[in-house]
Amino acid sequence: GAVVSQHPSWVICKSGTSVKIECRSLDFQATTMFWYRQFPKQSLMLMATSNEGSKATYEQGVEKDKFLINHASLTLSTLTVTSAHPEDSSFYICSARAAYEQYFGPGTRLTVT
Amino acid sequence: DQQVKQNSPSLSVQEGRISILNCDYTNSMFDYFLWYKKYPAEGPTFLISISSIKDKNEDGRFTVFLNKSAKHLSLHIVPSQPGDSAVYFCAATLYNFNKFYFGSGTKLNVKP
């Protein structure tokens, strides 16, 4: 099956710094990638939809200036959490769409101290 | 507005028995439905899907049923195994697959 990787798998950063998370589709090209956030014991919250070569579409309530998304190629999308705060600590998951399915990455645990 | 709902946050089943996970949706325009399985601290993995033109899809121990008139789908796992213990999410999408709507998940515990 299709494989999606995320890097890093976990990161700890200090409040006020920026963190970049990479999402790669390893064996297929993905014109569309999604970024989700999951809080403990809660469902996946879609943050934004990333289309290759165009600006990401953000869901209501998600700050586009804080969560910068870049989809520079058909196999790579990045999420940068700018000026991170402790409340940004969460589990971030990306997925890549291939035909009728979407395949998820393993997730990135972000802890902001 | 939650367009896909899983009203049971948890389900406990004995090994070997059937597990039935339910999902309801509100948007009659949804064209495709999927089930994902998720372990803690991991990304969801695709399990099984069904198109809106079908009412049943089977893959090994997993069967998904779709009742369009009731806007309801269910996932049956038979026989249930301890390794099936995970959180199960149902998802729905429109014909263009541009956005997937997820339910809140059901945590399945299969007891040995």
Side-chain angles (χ1 to χ4, degrees), chain B residues 4-16:
Chain B
V4 178
K5 296 181 181 179
Q6 292 175 259
N7 293 317
S8 298
S10 63
L11 174 68
S12 188
V13 170
Q14 203 69 37
E15 180 180 7

Side-chain angles (χ1 to χ4, degrees), chain A residues 14-34:
Chain A
K14 292 187 176 182
S15 187
T17 62
S18 296
V19 174
K20 180 185 283 188
I21 303 170
E22 291 185 351
C23 177
R24 293 182 185 273
S25 55
L26 298 185
D27 50 3
F28 67 100
Q29 293 184 329
T31 55
T32 303
M33 289 186 173
F34 305 92

Side-chain angles (χ1 to χ4, degrees), chain A residues 32 34 36 38 41-44 46 49 51 59 91 93 97 99-107 109, chain B residues 2 32 34 36 38 41-46 49 89 91 93 95-100 102-105:
Chain A
T32 303
F34 305 92
Y36 295 86
Q38 184 182 32
K41 297 183 179 180
Q42 291 188 16
S43 182
L44 302 169
L46 178 64
T49 301
N51 291 297
E59 294 300 301
F91 192 58
I93 307 173
R97 196 184 91 184
Y100 305 122
E101 314 290 349
Q102 65 170 325
Y103 297 91
F104 286 85
R109 169 69 62 190
Chain B
Q2 193 82 14
Y32 206 70
L34 310 95
Y36 290 87
K38 185 182 183 301
E42 293 184 10
T45 55
F46 170 74
S49 63
F89 291 97
T93 183
Y95 74 96
N96 55 12
F97 296 86
N98 279 345
K99 185 172 179 178
F100 291 75
F102 281 84
S104 53

